């Protein structure tokens, strides 16, 4: 044993170290003086401090550093690209094997290649039919035609004075202008599928290239169209097998990648940047560039977000929003403001939603995971990814047994639950309808992990449910873009729930009917992923499901 | 000087990270995480502060990785960043610290050189040895070593074990001495093994 084990100064010093023990000013001065004058004591104390730190550190195990993980994930999605032209060419040739998969663990939607392929095939057949027709001198020649109009709502006029109808062909270099409505086109040969909304001005330069002067254009590019170029005044965007949205206007242009990846270069053709799913960039006329990485929630996309609608299903509608006449302000929640009258009326007055495109009915199958492509997979068309969507589920439900309940969860962006017309939970990323706001009691739990960042779950107030069914209204949606995730769980007061190894109760997913086996399997996979990577969890219990009443 | 064949060589991993394979940065975190946390834990009282600051350090290391020159001592570079961040943290929080926390800082300053010497002698395999040696402690000693981790207050531990405060500190000190002896005796090629 060292001579210090019974040294009162040494014992007092380690008492300070281990327990912050209080001493008088005089005693502290004595201890410091002894330390300064006694190198052996310093070594002994340093050894003890080092051992205490080490034993503490090693016994606590590995850390879960969400911020670092988030940073690494973002960098993985947007790491330094190879030179612009090289990257494009190698990808077009299918030779690039050097860039690792950006989303190796994500369960991806099967791409709708068949859409583009079918469109291309249809266009080719129609084109052939036109070639075989005589007397088509009023139409552009086949050689000069680059795109075909599939659908048009509103009046579209070309620079050659033509008013376009379904089936018409756009010629190379011909400019299409629309003041209202939308047009759906397919580019010949490449099969590139375009939905463009007015106010619009675009020039179809060739079957592989278009210029967007003004308006919003959403493109889906099939394999044969890889390399298709969209130009704006500010940027040249080359598709690398994807779907994306380009918006051009008097202040500049903007691109949002919905799926896959694109290459964005300037007009000098110099190397710039590859962009991936969820990435968004603004290019101002003055040359300013504002890039936003979509990040990576790390949570798989739900493959079965809806399932089959049955008599016991909680039904809802999926609503696509339209541009607001007012200028968009970063401080204004336009969807929230529009929906606020509905919420304030106890979900009785839905007139604020009149005129909006709605998909009705849809089925509620719980909220868990990522819903980046939910509008598309649900079949909501047309849908403008920059204007957001909202699912409103509504019905009378009976709880599995009477008692007090509360919801837990979070969504990016919107999640709100009302019982008998009264909001009892809001887990929206930011409260509905800021800056006016909605006063829903909410507790945040930063210590509990979350789907896509470190802020933690929110919980709502307790509410009482008897034997009678209650009116349930549930809102879930996205304000803008396509990075949507959510989780909605329910807790019954007094119930004992299994806990994770880190002490988080595994509250059951809020369900309103038993799920199918594929749905349950998917949710289990999601839970495993969350537990392994995000330290989040939940349980799946048909006994905890609420029952929809006729 | 090239590293010993069995030593962890960070340079190829750093090169891969800089080439865009950011996933490999996690290897550096795994290799050096305990060293950084251990370093910070000798200066900070609250475990949460240690974890937060250690994470900050690795985020900064990741951001500044292209400033590291291959062939140099990565560990020293890393600990240099940790020390810089620690000093920043202490400076920012000095005004909020109470009298005992300030005294604790003064105490650490007094043994700074000795702490550095201790830390430099620490190798990763020591950590594995340490875990193994902790498992060999008596139940009572292990309880004392774990007390802080389990959130046990000194008074509660005294009552539980029927010991005075000083006796607890003495016992802990003895347990640490036993651990050091155990680690020193463990064969170098079997850091985590042995019954």
């Amino acid at each position: 044993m060292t001579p210090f084990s019974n040294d009162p100064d040494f014992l007092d010093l380690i008492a300070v170290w281990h327990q912050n023990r209080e001493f008088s000013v005089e005693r502290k001065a004595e201890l410091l003086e002894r330390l300064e004058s006694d190198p052996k004591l310093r070594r002994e104390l340093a050894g003890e401090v080092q051992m205490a730190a080490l034993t503490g550190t090693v016994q606590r195990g590995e850390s879960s550093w969400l911020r670092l993980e988030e940073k690494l994930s973002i960098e993985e999605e947007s790491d330094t690209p190879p030179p612009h032209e090289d990257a494009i060419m190698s990808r077009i040739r299918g030779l690039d094997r050097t860039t690792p998969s950006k989303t190796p663990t994500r369960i991806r939607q099967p791409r709708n290649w068949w859409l583009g392929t079918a469109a291309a095939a249809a266009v080719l057949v129609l084109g052939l039919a036109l070639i075989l027709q005589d007397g088509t001198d009023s139409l552009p020649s086949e050689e000069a035609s680059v795109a075909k109009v599939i659908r048009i709502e509103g009046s579209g006029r070309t620079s050659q004075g033509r008013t376009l109808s379904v089936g018409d062909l756009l010629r190379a270099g011909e400019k299409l202008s629309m003041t209202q409505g939308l047009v759906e086109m397919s580019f010949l040969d490449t099969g590139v599928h375009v939905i463009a909304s007015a106010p619009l001005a675009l020039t179809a330069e060739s079957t592989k290239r278009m210029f967007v002067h003004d308006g919003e254009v959403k493109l889906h590019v099939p394999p044969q169209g890889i390399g298709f170029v969209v130009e704006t005044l500010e940027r040249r965007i080359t598709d690398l097998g994807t779907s994306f949205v380009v918006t051009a206007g008097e202040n500049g242009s903007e691109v949002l990648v919905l799926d896959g990846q694109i290459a964005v270069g300037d007009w000098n053709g110099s190397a710039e940047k590859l962009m991936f799913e969820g990435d968004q960039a603004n290019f101002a006329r003055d040359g300013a560039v504002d890039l936003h990485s979509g990040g990576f929630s790390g949570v798989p996309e739900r493959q079965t977000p809806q399932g089959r609608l049955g008599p016991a299903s909680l039904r809802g509608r999926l609503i696509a929003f339209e541009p607001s006449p007012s200028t968009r302000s970063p401080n204004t929640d336009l969807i929230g403001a529009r929906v606020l009258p509905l919420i304030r009326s106890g979900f009785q007055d839905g007139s604020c939603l009149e005129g909006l495109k709605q998909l009705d009915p849809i089925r509620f199958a719980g909220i868990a995971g990522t819903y980046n492509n939910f509008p598309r997979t649900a079949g909501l068309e047309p849908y403008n990814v920059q204007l957001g969507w909202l699912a409103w589920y509504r019905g009378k439900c009976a709880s599995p047994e009477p008692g007090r309940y509360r919801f837990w969860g979070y969504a990016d962006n919107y999640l709100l639950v009302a019982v008998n017309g009264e909001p009892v939970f809001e887990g929206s990323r930011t409260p509905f309808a800021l800056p006016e706001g909605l006063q829903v009691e909410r507790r945040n739990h930063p210590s509990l992990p979350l789907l896509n960042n470190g802020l933690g779950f929110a919980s709502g107030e307790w509410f009482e449910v008897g034997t009678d069914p209650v009116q349930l209204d549930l809102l879930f949606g996205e304000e803008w873009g396509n990075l949507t995730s959510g989780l909605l769980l329910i807790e019954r007061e007094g119930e004992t729930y299994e806990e994770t190894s880190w002490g988080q109760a595994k509250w059951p997913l809020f369900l309103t009917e038993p799920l199918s086996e594929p749905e349950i399997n998917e949710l289990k996979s999601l839970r495993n992923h969350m537990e392994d990577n995000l330290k989040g969890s939940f349980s799946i219990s048909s006994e905890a499901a609420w029952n929809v009443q006729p | 000087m090239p590293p010993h064949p069995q030593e962890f060589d960070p340079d190829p991993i750093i090169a891969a990270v800089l080439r865009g394979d950011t996933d490999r940065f996690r290897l550096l975190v795994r290799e050096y995480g305990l060293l950084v946390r251990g370093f910070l834990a000798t200066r900070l009282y609250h475990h949460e502060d240690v974890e937060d600051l250690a994470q900050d350090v690795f985020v900064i290391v990741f951001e500044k990785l292209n400033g590291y020159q291959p062939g140099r001592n990565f560990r020293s570079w890393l600990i240099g960043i940790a020390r810089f961040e620690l000093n920043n943290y202490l400076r920012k929080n000095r005004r909020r610290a109470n009298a005992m926390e300030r005294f604790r800082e003064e105490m650490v300053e007094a043994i700074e050189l000795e702490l550095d010497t201790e830390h430099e002698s620490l190798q990763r395999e020591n950590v594995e040895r340490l875990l193994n040696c902790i498992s060999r402690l008596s139940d009572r000693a292990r309880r004392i070593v774990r007390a802080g981790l389990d959130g046990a207050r000194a008074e509660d531990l005294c009552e539980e074990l029927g010991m005075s405060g000083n006796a607890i500190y003495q016992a802990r000190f003895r347990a640490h001495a036993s651990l050091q002896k155990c680690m020193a005796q463990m064969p170098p090629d079997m850091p985590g093994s042995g019954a």
Side-chain angles (χ1 to χ4, degrees):
Chain A
M1 189 51 53
T2 73
F4 292 100
S5 57
N6 291 312
D7 183 324
D9 287 351
F10 179 74
L11 291 175
D12 281 353
L13 284 166
I14 58 175
V16 171
W17 181 260
H18 291 314
Q19 298 286 349
N20 257 354
R21 183 185 278 186
E22 294 278 353
F23 288 109
S24 67
V25 175
E26 294 75 21
R27 178 63 180 147
K28 286 191 285 191
E30 278 176 19
L31 291 172
L32 283 179
E33 195 176 330
R34 167 87 195 274
L35 263 185
E36 283 168 15
S37 62
D38 188 341
K40 283 186 181 172
L41 178 66
R42 288 202 300 272
R43 278 199 298 275
E44 199 67 39
L45 183 61
E48 173 64 8
V49 166
Q50 170 82 13
M51 276 306 289
L54 209 53
T55 52
T57 304
V58 298
Q59 290 181 101
R60 282 178 209 277
E62 293 294 323
S63 303
S64 176
W65 289 339
L66 294 177
R67 200 152 31 86
L68 179 64
E69 282 302 316
E70 193 174 52
K71 181 149 195 74
L72 293 178
S73 298
I74 289 170
E75 292 292 334
E76 280 166 6
E77 291 223 329
S78 58
D79 53 8
T80 309
H84 184 63
E85 297 299 336
D86 290 350
I88 295 168
M89 291 314 294
S90 62
R91 277 163 196 277
I92 291 171
R93 292 174 189 144
L95 296 176
D96 188 352
R97 299 285 183 269
T98 58
T99 306
S101 168
K102 299 300 163 188
T103 52
T105 58
R106 203 179 317 198
I107 300 170
R108 298 179 74 104
Q109 285 294 113
R111 295 224 178 118
N112 294 330
W113 299 126
W114 62 272
L115 272 177
T117 310
V123 167
L124 286 173
V125 169
L126 283 168
L128 195 60
L130 286 171
I131 291 170
L132 296 174
Q133 279 182 346
D134 289 330
T136 55
D137 51 357
S138 60
L139 293 172
S141 69
E142 176 61 21
E143 289 76 18
S145 299
V146 295
K148 176 183 170 62
V149 176
I150 299 171
R151 178 166 64 120
I152 186 161
E153 294 174 9
S155 176
R157 290 185 62 80
T158 74
S159 52
Q160 296 183 352
R162 297 191 296 137
T163 300
L164 291 180
S165 305
V166 172
D168 284 349
L169 294 168
L170 266 180
R171 303 182 72 176
E174 198 170 15
K175 184 176 179 180
L176 164 65
S177 300
M178 294 180 74
T179 54
Q180 60 177 9
L182 63 86
V183 62
E184 191 173 347
M185 298 186 297
S186 180
F187 277 74
L188 307 187
D189 300 335
T190 54
V192 172
H193 182 256
V194 171
I195 298 178
S197 51
L200 175 72
L202 64 83
T203 301
E205 295 175 330
S206 74
T207 56
K208 298 175 180 173
R209 184 179 293 261
M210 69 186 289
F211 192 105
V212 181
H213 309 264
D214 191 19
E216 181 189 283
V217 178
K218 177 183 174 186
L219 298 96
H220 177 81
V221 181
Q224 69 268 29
I226 290 176
F228 190 88
V229 174
V230 179
E231 294 166 325
T232 68
L233 273 178
E234 294 79 25
R235 282 295 184 275
R236 176 179 293 154
I237 300 146
T238 306
D239 178 88
L240 301 174
T242 184
S243 67
F244 62 103
V245 176
V246 176
T247 309
E250 59 185 19
N251 295 323
S253 54
E254 184 177 309
V255 60
L256 170 67
V257 184
L258 303 175
D259 188 19
Q261 53 191 291
I262 61 173
V264 181
D266 61 20
W267 277 89
N268 300 323
S270 62
E272 285 228 345
K273 190 169 179 62
L274 292 180
M275 292 174 61
F276 303 95
E277 179 181 333
D279 287 352
Q280 185 237 331
N282 298 73
F283 307 101
R285 285 279 160 86
D286 62 6
V289 177
D290 187 12
L291 293 168
H292 310 281
S293 171
F296 180 32
S297 72
V299 180
E301 175 91 15
R302 283 289 293 276
Q303 302 292 293
T304 55
Q306 285 204 90
R308 187 185 295 272
L309 192 70
S313 301
L314 178 66
R315 295 173 175 231
R317 58 179 84 171
L318 188 57
I319 304 156
F321 285 81
E322 291 177 350
S324 163
S326 62
T327 305
R328 183 181 183 83
S329 156
N331 298 321
T332 305
D333 173 8
L334 297 178
I335 293 181
R338 180 145 188 180
V339 175
L340 204 54
L342 171 71
I343 302 172
R344 287 191 168 146
S345 71
F347 291 85
Q348 298 301 311
D349 181 7
S351 59
C352 57
L353 303 177
E354 282 176 8
L356 295 174
K357 171 72 181 175
Q358 302 191 15
L359 186 68
D360 186 6
I362 57 171
R363 171 196 175 226
F364 178 74
I367 293 173
T370 297
Y371 294 78
N372 294 348
N373 301 308
F374 181 52
R376 195 179 69 189
T377 54
L380 183 65
E381 286 283 359
Y383 164 64
N384 185 332
V385 72
Q386 297 190 24
L387 296 175
W389 57 270
L390 200 65
W392 172 20
Y393 301 96
R394 174 153 231 253
K396 283 202 173 300
C397 295
S399 63
E401 49 185 315
R404 271 157 56 89
Y405 290 83
R406 67 175 168 180
F407 287 98
W408 290 80
Y410 177 86
D412 182 1
N413 289 98
Y414 300 115
L415 180 59
L416 182 137
V417 187
V419 172
N420 291 332
E422 283 295 321
V424 294
F425 173 68
E426 182 173 14
S428 305
R429 184 174 178 177
T430 52
F432 257 91
L434 282 175
E436 297 170 66
L438 197 63
Q439 303 299 319
V440 182
E441 187 181 322
R442 165 179 177 157
R443 285 189 63 201
N444 290 319
H445 302 266
S447 60
L448 296 179
L450 184 61
L451 292 176
N452 58 358
N453 65 36
L455 296 178
F457 286 109
S459 63
E461 60 184 315
W462 291 104
F463 58 94
E464 188 92 31
V465 181
T467 50
D468 293 332
V470 295
Q471 179 69 42
L472 200 73
D473 289 275
L474 197 158
L475 299 175
F476 173 55
E478 175 61 60
E479 180 191 14
W480 182 91
N482 72 330
L483 290 171
T484 312
S485 58
L487 189 66
L488 182 63
L489 313 178
I490 184 125
E491 177 188 13
R492 183 171 178 272
E493 192 178 45
E495 192 93 24
T496 305
Y497 296 95
E498 184 190 349
E499 286 190 355
T500 62
S501 60
W502 56 94
Q504 178 182 338
K506 295 170 82 163
W507 300 293
L509 192 66
F510 181 68
L511 297 170
T512 49
E513 65 176 308
L515 299 181
S516 66
E517 196 174 331
E519 287 172 317
I520 290 173
N521 289 338
E522 186 188 19
L523 287 168
K524 285 180 176 172
S525 298
L526 169 69
R527 182 178 59 194
N528 291 342
H529 179 91
M530 286 176 66
E531 289 184 353
D532 290 344
N533 299 288
L534 304 163
K535 292 282 181 288
S537 191
F538 56 87
S539 57
I540 308 157
S541 164
S542 56
E543 291 171 3
W546 291 40
N547 298 307
V548 176
Q549 306 294 304
Chain B
M1 187 171 68
H4 185 276
Q6 288 184 334
E7 285 177 8
F8 180 84
D9 182 4
D11 285 3
I13 294 168
I14 292 167
V17 174
L18 291 174
R19 281 197 304 270
D21 189 358
T22 52
D23 191 43
R24 294 180 74 79
F25 189 78
R26 294 179 176 90
L27 292 177
L28 298 176
V29 176
R30 196 172 66 190
E31 180 65 25
Y32 295 104
L34 277 171
L35 291 174
V36 170
R37 289 157 67 208
F39 169 78
L40 296 171
T42 59
R43 272 79 174 171
L44 296 169
Y45 182 66
H46 296 291
H47 175 69
E48 294 74 21
D49 296 338
V50 171
E51 287 299 315
D52 285 350
L53 204 53
Q55 180 172 211
D56 286 347
V57 168
F58 277 102
V59 167
I60 290 166
V61 166
F62 178 69
E63 289 171 344
K64 296 186 178 300
L65 203 56
N66 56 8
Y68 166 74
Q69 293 177 0
R72 296 187 62 184
N73 187 331
F74 179 73
R75 175 176 161 156
S76 297
W77 185 74
L78 176 66
I79 294 299
I81 290 174
R83 191 187 303 279
F84 183 80
E85 289 304 307
L86 174 72
N87 290 337
N88 273 348
Y89 173 87
L90 292 175
R91 195 176 59 248
K92 282 179 194 166
N93 291 281
R94 192 151 288 152
R95 276 191 302 180
R96 281 184 291 179
N98 60 34
M100 282 318 293
E101 286 168 336
R102 281 198 294 273
F103 176 60
R104 211 162 174 277
E105 276 183 43
E106 288 177 293
M107 204 171 100
V108 169
E109 281 171 18
I111 60 171
E112 185 86 48
L113 285 176
E114 287 79 7
L115 276 177
D116 283 349
T117 306
E118 287 283 339
H119 193 261
E120 279 166 19
S121 66
L122 179 65
Q123 298 299 321
R124 195 181 194 283
E125 58 263 29
N126 290 356
V127 171
E128 294 169 52
R129 288 181 197 172
L130 177 60
L131 281 170
N132 189 283
C133 290
I134 289 172
S135 69
R136 299 181 186 190
L137 289 173
S138 68
D139 288 348
R140 192 181 180 88
R142 202 158 58 233
R143 176 75 187 98
I144 292 169
V145 166
R146 279 202 63 86
L149 303 178
D150 297 338
R153 293 187 310 137
E155 306 86 78
D156 297 341
L157 194 64
C158 292
E159 191 178 326
E160 178 189 330
L161 300 176
M163 298 166 75
S164 69
N166 269 354
I168 293 277
Y169 299 131
Q170 281 174 322
R172 187 165 176 169
F173 176 56
R174 282 198 294 271
H176 287 164
S178 299
L179 289 172
Q180 279 175 324
K181 190 175 173 185
C182 168
M183 288 162 66
Q185 288 175 345
M186 193 170 283
D189 57 338
M190 299 174 67
S193 62

